[in-house]
Amino acid sequence: MSAPVLGPLELAVLLAVARLGDDAYGLAVRGDVSERTGHDYSVGAVYTTLQRLEEKGLVSSWTTAPQPVRGGRARRKFQVTAAGARALRDARRVAASVWAGVGPNPHPEPA
């Protein structure tokens, strides 16, 4: 079976879930992705991407108990699956292969 193709936002969200670990829930993932990419993604875009990653088997999710504060809500948390970890390793390998041989200034300005 071939590795799933990941779009740029899917890769960024999958990496955020891996990075956040036990704190990987929708708003935290959105904050991480937005901060690292410099683009303010909507909550809907991130949740849609998380759902797509779950459909591909790259993340799994569960709902927590409500937060222990008055009016606290349950959170939907995410974790990277074994297939997701493989997809991340494959993405890193492909990126390294594609970048191989390119120096730190890939397109220098003419003198």
Side-chain angles (χ1 to χ4, degrees):
M1 183 160 112
S2 64
V5 176
L6 295 176
L9 182 55
E10 289 177 321
L11 180 58
V13 168
L14 187 58
L15 285 165
V17 172
R19 203 173 10 259
L20 291 167
D22 291 340
D23 293 326
Y25 62 95
L27 290 178
V29 171
R30 176 186 178 257
D32 185 84
V33 170
S34 294
E35 180 181 325
R36 290 174 185 276
T37 63
H39 181 84
D40 189 23
Y41 288 98
S42 71
V43 174
V46 172
Y47 271 107
T48 298
T49 302
L50 284 164
Q51 180 179 353
R52 200 165 44 246
L53 291 171
E54 192 163 19
E55 288 168 359
K56 290 181 177 185
L58 304 179
V59 299
S60 60
S61 70
W62 69 96
T63 303
T64 67
Q67 299 297 300
V69 295
R70 183 178 173 118
R73 298 179 58 180
R75 288 183 173 163
R76 186 169 168 209
K77 289 199 170 186
F78 297 87
Q79 70 180 18
V80 175
T81 63
R86 280 190 304 276
L88 287 175
R89 285 192 303 274
D90 289 346
R92 177 181 276 176
R93 181 187 47 75
V94 168
S97 176
V98 171
W99 277 96
V102 177
N105 190 3
H107 188 59
E109 296 297 320

